[in-house]
Amino acid sequence: MAPPGRRRYVSPMNLFLGFLLLFSSTASAASAVLGIDLGTEYIKAALVKPGIPLEIVLTKDSKRKEASAVAFKSSSKGPVALGQFPERLYGGDALALAARFPGDVYPNLKPLLGVDAKTSESATRYSSEHPSLSLTPTKERGTAGLLSPSFDQKEEPFTVEELLAMQLKNVRENAETMAGKGQRITDAVVTIPAFYTADERRAVKLAVELAGMNVLSLMTDGLAVGVNYATSRTFPNISNGTKPEYHIVYDMGAGSTTATVLKMQSRSVKDVGRFNKTVQEVQVMGAGWDKELGGDSLNTLIVNDMIEQFVASSAAKAANVEVADVRKHGRTASKLLKESERLRQVLSANQQTSASFEGLFNDIDFRYKLDRVKFEEMASSFVANIETPIQQALIIAKLELKDIDSIILHGGLTRTPFVQKKLEEYAGDGSKLRTNVNADEAAVFGAAFKGAGLSPSFRVKEIRDSEVATYPIKLRWTEDSKDRQQTLFIPTSQVGGAPKEVSFKHLDDFSFGMTQQIPTTEGPLTEKPIFTVRSTNLTASVAALSSNFGCTKQDVSTKFRIRLSPIDGLPEVTRATVSCEVEGDGKKGNVVDGVKDWLGFGSKKDDQAPLQEGDEAPPEPVEASESETATASQTNEASSSTESATKESAKAKVLKKRTETIFVGVIIESEGLPGPSNAALDHMNQRLSAFASSDKARRQREEALNTLEAYTYRVRDILTDEGFIGSSTESQRSSIEELLSSTSDWLYSGSSSATTEEFRQKLKGLEKLVKPVQTRKEEARTRPDQIKSLQDILESTNTFIDTLRKQITDASSSAASASESAASAASSASAASSSTSETASSDDLADLEEPETSSTTEEAPQPTKFSDLTPYTEEDLSSLVSKHSSISSWLKEKITEQDKLKPSDDPVISLKDLEAKGSELTQATMELLTKRMRAPPKPKSKKSSKTSKSKTKSAKTSSTETEEATPSASAQKPPIIKVREGEDMPSEEEILERIKQLKEDRVIDEL
């Protein structure tokens, strides 16, 4: 119990919050996590949940990756009305429509994330590669928006984040299907390129949130591959003095190429108790990149060559075809771009390839050939830049190529022969190139592994990973009418590390900004704003320090703590305070002191101060008389007044200094490309929800149509079945044929605009006529077996009734015989007792002997009762006989009535009735059988133990007589069903069969 004055009352609200926190933790622990590799050309996902450790999420076509594309399927009637939505297609299904509807297929949207639609080079390049797409700036933000010809002209353009959210939501739905019914995925770890700026990272987060998921972390591609590499390896332990390993992850994908230098090592750290544990560490040391060095650039080279050869052909010259005309033609550009991807992949394993086009442009056919030598000549400028990202990464990491242990290849383009050849030449040793990771799936597995580590649901190998800032981050503010700046983070600053504390001289509310220094293609760095921080109560807080604690302005300091967020890698303000040093103890302790006091471990009071050297302990309290108490009271009062005066004088001499701190509120406003307003965000969510509802309604309609169409084909086959013909009349079959014919005609002529409910009503109309006949047919087929089963149950029950009747009769006879034997034994014991007492009284020396004692109290033998022999009664027997007779009569009557009916008539005895009667009789029998098993065991008779030899002998004689009169114990044992380990309990039929066998063997008493 806490000492007086330290007890604390725990309010119901605190208890409620505690239970709420526990529930939230449990609910969170049960959730699954999704790792997403957000590639330019493909999106891959891996699911981790209890029971599913790191599994690739398959598409609806059972593919391990989904093409990064979404399409709106145009209607033959033209654009949909305002408020309506066309069908959406994803992945390969979407790309298949590119040749027919190039203006409604949106592939490879990743380069458009977080860029200005008017000034960005990425937007310009995307428009040239996809001339059919209407790229336009959004009204509020100026980011890339895309207009669809399938919608009304009044419909606002779709933002890139919305289109990407559609694809991510489709991936999430596939993952939830894989996870199992009722599972919902809300958390994800997403991979991004190392060169992504603050605007691009925010755009990815917005797309994931629009898809209904929470971003646990944005992880760079190189680090994700490194984490996956570390899951199956152990690195040198630097705690033992060994050196770490350095590896480069070279990732060449469809849109860009990155090189990430990783330091991999292990370390011994303190574990629970006195034990240590070894953890693996994967740290990013630096990164380099080329945003235009990727598969799309090679595809563009092939497309340009195909256009030049096509225009130079005789047929194109005769039609005066120009290069610009071909590039602007949407369908032609889509065909060429799709075929260029195939040609490039074929050349990775073959020396030459070709492609044919029918009616490529203006109905002109075209055949194109390309060999590997010519392709490498076309890509000569591309080849020259292959090692550039590695060189940049090594410079930032302050390492040399000789320090690198291996170059880990990742990305589909690393399979290209001239890429591998160039890397081997640069490395100087082909053995440094490692292909021991999955070039397509290592990143997504690394992201999923990190998600599992962040989730409380899973326990995985402890791998501590760390990102870097990538770009220098500066702090800018105004002080004394002068612009100030400070480089707060450098490219190699660790993400999620200890916050940096920045001091300001401002004593009034002010603001400061943070910027990223982004390199440009021309060379110089460009500063892009990240956010602006504004204080809200700094002026009031300084005034409070001055008035409450007497702080002067010279003693007041304003401090902000800033770190790189472990979620998105951007700066975040973790704490803002204003403080000063004052003298004295203060009026209140801090939060920690309050918690200690609540737990009973608060600071010691004056009367609880520890004894100093030379002090005497206070005397122990003892009982005293009233006069002694009064004298002691006066003495104590004088002593206490003297001590208090001494302590106060000591406090006045020594004044401690303390720091008074007030937290400062801040408002953070994002800079750079503006984020969507609340109204715009609501509009996006509503449009995505409406799109999802439209897709669901469309799927339900298609399912209803397919179900009705399949049922019409099935009914056609049923009408020719002999069993169906025998169970129906001619008029019934004619009605079915008429309705079937009208339904089929309606399906192929007037159902194009039919609703889901109309399809369902048509199906119900057919089922109403067909199902009764099918039921009669099925019952006619299975009725004989069901009747035979019920007859077997009746026979078994009858056997059980005979056994039960005999057992009750035998128990009555045994009980009567036992009662007579008990009465005879009692009279014999009385006579023996009187004879013994007479002998004792005639002995003159009897008084000199010690009295005889008995270890137990001797009891008279009790007669065996009827209930000890059997738990069954005459009422049990009569109830079972009555039920057996009733069901037997019912079955005979129904069989007679059924035999008089035709096969096409409705039956009078249904399978359901037969099953119900059999279950009723079986249940009654089982209740009686379990009554025997539930019966309590017969109590054992107590035997007397006496010291006298004569009494012992007499007791033995009495016991023998009682045993002769009582039936054998073996006859009273309850029935025991022995089931071996791993076997199932016998069925009702097996128990009844056993009873029947026992009756035939005349072993009735052992039931």
Side-chain angles (χ1 to χ4, degrees), residues 716-762:
R716 285 195 183 96
D717 296 336
I718 288 175
L719 287 172
T720 60
D721 182 70
E722 293 182 0
F724 188 87
I725 295 173
S727 301
S728 60
T729 62
E730 185 66 30
S731 61
Q732 289 173 338
R733 292 194 297 275
S734 298
S735 300
I736 294 173
E737 289 175 353
E738 291 177 4
L739 183 58
L740 177 63
S741 177
S742 63
T743 302
S744 298
D745 294 340
W746 176 79
L747 273 175
Y748 297 107
S749 60
S751 65
S752 58
S753 59
T755 62
T756 305
E757 189 60 30
E758 288 179 306
F759 289 122
R760 290 174 178 172
Q761 290 300 325
K762 292 286 185 181

Side-chain angles (χ1 to χ4, degrees), residues 475-651:
L475 189 68
R476 289 187 172 275
W477 74 99
T478 302
E479 186 177 288
D480 298 332
S481 301
K482 293 182 180 180
D483 292 335
R484 309 285 186 176
Q485 66 177 8
Q486 176 185 347
T487 300
L488 199 60
F489 299 103
I490 60 176
T492 55
S493 295
Q494 294 293 319
V495 171
K500 291 192 175 182
E501 190 169 77
V502 183
S503 298
F504 295 93
K505 295 181 180 180
H506 294 78
L507 302 180
D508 296 322
D509 287 313
F510 75 111
S511 64
F512 63 87
M514 304 206 68
T515 61
Q516 276 183 329
Q517 293 183 297
I518 311 297
T520 60
T521 54
E522 292 78 12
L525 298 177
T526 300
E527 288 197 22
K528 288 189 175 182
I530 303 175
F531 57 70
T532 298
V533 179
R534 303 182 189 278
S535 64
T536 58
N537 63 334
L538 179 58
T539 305
S541 300
V542 172
L545 288 175
S546 177
S547 60
N548 296 338
F549 305 101
C551 296
T552 62
K553 291 187 177 181
Q554 292 77 10
D555 297 332
V556 176
S557 60
T558 304
K559 295 180 180 179
F560 284 75
R561 289 185 183 177
I562 304 172
R563 71 167 183 173
L564 295 175
S565 170
I567 296 178
D568 57 13
L570 299 179
E572 63 177 358
V573 178
T574 61
R575 174 174 170 156
T577 61
V578 59
S579 61
C580 73
E581 283 191 351
V582 297
E583 294 181 345
D585 293 336
K587 298 179 180 180
K588 296 182 179 180
N590 57 20
V591 177
V592 177
D593 292 335
V595 174
K596 288 182 177 180
D597 187 48
W598 187 83
L599 295 173
F601 300 107
S603 59
K604 296 179 173 62
K605 306 299 180 182
D606 293 339
D607 56 347
Q608 296 174 329
L611 294 176
Q612 303 297 328
E613 187 176 355
D615 292 345
E616 293 183 0
E620 295 292 334
V622 295
E623 296 183 0
S625 61
E626 294 182 2
S627 59
E628 291 174 340
T629 302
T631 304
S633 174
Q634 295 173 0
T635 305
N636 290 338
E637 287 178 3
S639 176
S640 61
S641 61
T642 304
E643 290 177 1
S644 61
T646 304
K647 291 179 180 179
E648 289 178 2
S649 62
K651 289 183 179 180

Side-chain angles (χ1 to χ4, degrees), residues 67-81:
S68 180
V70 59
F72 302 143
K73 190 174 182 180
S74 302
S75 173
S76 58
K77 299 179 181 179
V80 296

Side-chain angles (χ1 to χ4, degrees), residues 221-248:
D221 298 314
L223 180 60
V225 175
V227 169
N228 177 251
Y229 184 81
T231 55
S232 58
R233 291 166 177 83
T234 301
F235 304 110
N237 193 326
I238 62 173
S239 300
N240 300 331
T242 56
K243 295 182 179 180
E245 296 180 4
Y246 293 96
H247 301 268
I248 293 179

Side-chain angles (χ1 to χ4, degrees), residues 25 37 150 397 407 482 504 643 707 740 764 781 878 906:
S25 301
D37 181 12
S150 297
I407 300 176
K482 293 182 180 180
F504 295 93
E643 290 177 1
T707 302
L740 177 63
K764 287 182 180 178
R781 185 182 66 83
S878 60
D906 291 333

Side-chain angles (χ1 to χ4, degrees), residues 654-702:
V654 182
L655 294 178
K656 297 180 181 179
K657 287 189 176 182
R658 72 181 193 282
T659 301
E660 288 293 339
T661 302
I662 298 178
F663 289 97
V664 177
V666 296
I667 296 176
I668 300 177
E669 299 174 355
S670 297
E671 297 290 340
L673 289 177
S677 62
N678 291 335
L681 200 58
D682 291 340
H683 176 71
M684 291 181 190
N685 284 314
Q686 289 173 5
R687 186 156 59 174
L688 290 173
S689 298
F691 233 132
S693 299
S694 176
D695 288 344
K696 182 179 179 181
R698 186 176 292 104
R699 286 195 300 268
Q700 291 177 343
R701 182 185 182 278
E702 291 174 354

